[in-house]
Amino acid sequence: MQIILTNTGKRYNREWIFRHCNYTFTSGKSYAITGSNGSGKSTLLQVIAGATLHNEGTVEYNDGQRTTSNEQHYTNISIAAPYLELIEEMTAKEMLSFHSKFKPLIQSLSIEDMLKIVGLENAVNKQLRYFSSGMKQRLKLAQAFFSNAPVLLLDEPTTNLDADGITLYQSLISNYTKNKLVIISSNVKEEYDFCEEVIKISDYKSA
């Protein structure tokens, strides 16, 4: 799987968040998008995901057989981000089951196994409205890491996690990203210190 950005730019009103971005992301490698708060790294990740439209250039998704537009690629991408909402009336088990209707989960684990791995085995049937912020983040990570998708996008993945949660995140990276294309938006070194390539959003600032 490849994601190819060619002269890609995004602006809000008259301000360019980034511009002239040329980059190819390839399966089996991990990338970090870094920058200060408000610099646009999350916006770039959203453009890569197809969740936010770019204003110039192209974003292409090549699965090795064909190149698709951003209306067709969603099944290849899983994402976890602080701004993505969960359905609070559902339980943890119901949420993962509902998610699997749109994007298959890996078949080697049951939903109960997945929730146990992320430390939510005692909250399988608990409504998400009663989850702490850290528990919700663990569920978001489970939803992203255990999706059977070749691309994993993570935006500030340890948000709301304690020390045990950060250790869990590092374990998920080690055990469930083999052969995947991983892109992480972060300014926290511990979240991306394993990445092979680091992209500074400041390199794509242009008037």
Side-chain angles (χ1 to χ4, degrees), residues 117-147:
I117 289 169
V118 297
L120 296 176
E121 64 270 28
N122 295 323
V124 172
N125 297 308
K126 187 176 184 178
Q127 281 189 316
L128 304 187
R129 69 175 74 190
Y130 302 115
F131 275 34
S132 68
S133 57
M135 292 170 71
K136 288 179 179 178
Q137 183 63 16
R138 286 170 180 255
L139 183 59
K140 289 180 182 182
L141 292 179
Q143 183 174 290
F145 276 90
F146 298 133
S147 291

Side-chain angles (χ1 to χ4, degrees), residues 84-99:
L84 296 180
E85 297 293 334
L86 299 171
I87 303 173
E88 303 238 317
E89 291 75 20
M90 288 186 173
T91 66
K93 183 177 181 179
E94 288 171 341
M95 187 68 210
L96 288 184
S97 178
F98 177 72
H99 176 72

Side-chain angles (χ1 to χ4, degrees), residues 167-183:
T167 299
L168 165 66
Y169 163 72
Q170 293 168 340
S171 175
L172 291 171
I173 288 290
S174 296
N175 295 321
Y176 297 100
T177 61
K178 184 179 180 181
N179 298 323
K180 287 193 175 187
L181 194 175
V182 180
I183 308 175

Side-chain angles (χ1 to χ4, degrees), residues 2 7 13 38 48 54 61 65 102 106 120 128 143:
Q2 285 189 326
N7 200 36
N13 297 319
I48 291 170
H54 47 289
Y61 310 86
Q65 298 180 336
F102 303 93
I106 58 176
L120 296 176
L128 304 187
Q143 183 174 290

Side-chain angles (χ1 to χ4, degrees), residues 19-52:
R19 203 171 188 191
H20 308 308
C21 185
N22 294 283
Y23 215 93
T24 299
F25 301 90
T26 303
S27 286
K29 298 187 69 174
S30 53
Y31 305 82
I33 301 171
T34 65
S36 59
N37 292 337
S39 61
K41 58 187 183 296
S42 293
T43 301
L44 176 54
L45 193 75
Q46 291 176 48
V47 167
I48 291 170
T52 297

